[in-house]
């Protein structure tokens, strides 16, 4: 009886997963067609780095799959770590370069700069990162690296693809979106933790694990949580400066989604941290 109910539950979960996969694959296909339309018919050559980004990370996936491991989760996490590292370095370079050129951060964060301008290298960097999210969405759909009726990771990527591409098409809020990508600094340590656990390194007493948790919490607070809250506050404070259109509603919707996902991520991190601490205490009691 219990076995039958368990199998039925698994079938229901599989059906939900299939429905979610179909929906997100359809949205990804529509997104790809829109990018092709912009490049081929509207002659928007400046968005070509989107295709270059997707191709680059797909190539990295192929290299890892051929020469390192064929485990889809390991390969996907490794490529995600590569993206986080490249994007973090790019954002830091763009901000530092702009600060050196201006000699002050005051001008950088004015409304006109954040909405109507694009810092040097910001536009191609945003395109390249957009290409990664498209690649990653396809890879997760292909190997079913998601679960649930509405998988949060697929929803996260869809929100980013919509916000990024609309901003790139209209050439607005590019600098705002570059600032949101500062959170990739924290993503580095999320991916490192995931790969560390896949490698079987789970000793909470290890110095490496302890240091990883220090960096994880520090970057979660100062590279993800606080910057996204400050961006949201800045958007609300400058709401009257936006022209009529979709820019402000879309930006607020995107940041609301990111802040909700950050809250969920923080809860998941805390639960994972508590499990590792409790596991260490239980092992110490047994000794």
């Amino acid at each position: 009886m219990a076995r039958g109910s368990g199998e039925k539950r698994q079938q229901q979960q599989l059906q939900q997963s299939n429905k979610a996969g179909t929906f997100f694959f359809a949205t990804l296909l529509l997104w790809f067609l829109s990018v092709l339309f912009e490049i081929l018919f509207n002659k928007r050559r400046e968005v070509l780095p989107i295709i270059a980004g997707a191709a680059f990370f797909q190539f990295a996936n192929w290299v890892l799959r051929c020469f390192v491991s064929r485990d889809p989760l390991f390969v996907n996490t490794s490529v995600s770590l590569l993206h986080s590292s490249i994007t973090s370095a790019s954002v830091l370079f763009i901000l530092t370069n702009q600060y050196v050129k201006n000699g002050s951060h005051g001008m950088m964060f004015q409304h006109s700069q954040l909405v109507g301008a694009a810092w040097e290298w910001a536009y191609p960097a945003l395109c390249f990162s957009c290409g990664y999210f498209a690649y990653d969405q396809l890879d997760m759909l292909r190997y079913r690296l998601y679960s649930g009726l509405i998988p949060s990771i697929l929803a996260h990527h869809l929100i980013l693809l919509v916000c990024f591409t609309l901003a790139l098409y209209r050439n607005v809020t590019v600098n705002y979106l570059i600032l949101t990508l500062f959170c990739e600094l924290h993503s580095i340590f999320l991916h490192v933790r995931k790969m560390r656990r896949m490698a079987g390194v789970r000793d909470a007493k290890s110095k490496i694990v302890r240091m990883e948790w220090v960096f994880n919490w520090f970057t979660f607070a100062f590279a993800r949580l606080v910057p996204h809250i400050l961006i949201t506050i800045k958007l609300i404070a400058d709401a009257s400066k936006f022209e009529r259109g979709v820019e402000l509603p879309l930006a607020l919707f995107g940041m609301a989604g990111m802040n909700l996902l950050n809250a969920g991520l923080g809860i998941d991190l805390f639960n994972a941290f508590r499990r590792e601490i409790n596991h260490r205490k239980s092992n110490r009691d047994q000794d």
Side-chain angles (χ1 to χ4, degrees), residues 24-273:
F24 283 106
F25 181 80
T27 57
L28 183 62
L29 180 60
L30 289 173
W31 171 87
F32 178 70
L33 291 175
S34 78
V35 174
L36 282 184
F37 182 86
E38 286 293 315
I39 294 171
L40 297 177
F41 295 97
N42 290 340
K43 309 299 182 183
R44 298 288 301 277
R45 300 291 186 266
E46 64 270 24
V47 299
L48 277 172
I50 295 177
I51 305 299
F56 172 81
F57 290 108
Q58 184 58 58
F59 177 73
N61 181 297
W62 176 81
V63 171
L64 287 166
R65 194 172 297 281
C66 289
F67 300 105
V68 180
S69 172
R70 300 192 66 85
D71 179 10
L73 184 58
F74 176 84
V75 172
N76 181 272
T77 306
S78 300
V79 176
S80 296
L81 176 59
L82 176 64
H83 166 258
S84 295
S85 302
I86 292 174
T87 303
S88 299
S90 299
V91 171
L92 289 172
F93 169 77
I94 290 167
L95 292 174
T96 303
N97 180 60
Q98 196 65 26
Y99 179 82
V100 170
K101 287 179 67 175
N102 287 342
S104 169
H105 68 274
M107 181 66 178
M108 287 175 60
F109 301 125
Q110 287 184 359
H111 176 77
S112 59
Q113 279 286 307
L114 292 173
V115 175
W119 297 322
E120 190 174 5
W121 298 104
Y123 195 95
L126 192 63
C127 286
F128 196 75
S129 198
C130 189
Y132 160 77
F133 288 115
Y135 143 79
D136 198 46
Q137 189 86 323
L138 181 61
D139 193 61
M140 286 188 293
L141 288 168
R142 182 181 179 185
Y143 294 103
R144 294 183 179 276
L145 303 177
Y146 61 91
S147 60
L149 179 61
I150 306 177
S152 60
I153 187 65
L154 296 183
H156 168 264
H157 282 20
L158 178 59
I159 291 171
L160 290 182
L161 285 172
V162 170
C163 292
F164 282 21
T165 48
L166 286 177
L168 290 167
Y169 292 167
R170 298 170 63 87
N171 204 9
V172 293
T173 65
V174 170
N175 293 338
Y176 260 123
L177 291 172
I178 285 294
L179 291 176
T180 66
L181 286 175
F182 192 64
C183 69
E184 290 299 328
L185 188 62
H186 172 240
S187 296
I188 291 174
F189 298 101
L190 287 180
H191 301 319
V192 166
R193 177 179 180 274
K194 196 172 183 179
M195 294 181 70
R196 182 258 297 174
R197 290 180 64 81
M198 283 191 285
V201 181
R202 305 189 178 196
D203 184 5
K205 293 182 289 185
S206 167
K207 289 184 179 179
I208 295 176
V209 175
R210 288 180 178 180
M211 286 302 298
E212 177 212 289
W213 272 114
V214 170
F215 284 118
N216 222 317
W217 281 118
F218 181 82
T219 54
F220 172 75
F222 294 104
R224 183 182 295 274
L225 191 65
V226 172
H228 285 175
I229 291 174
L230 290 176
I231 291 169
T232 306
I233 293 172
K234 175 68 173 172
L235 285 169
I236 295 171
D238 289 349
S240 61
K241 299 178 183 178
F242 279 86
E243 296 180 3
R244 289 185 178 181
V246 299
E247 286 85 4
L248 179 60
L250 190 62
L252 289 174
F253 170 75
M255 291 312 303
M258 285 188 183
N259 286 316
L260 283 173
L261 289 170
N262 288 345
L265 178 59
I267 293 169
D268 290 342
L269 270 179
F270 177 75
N271 289 335
F273 179 72

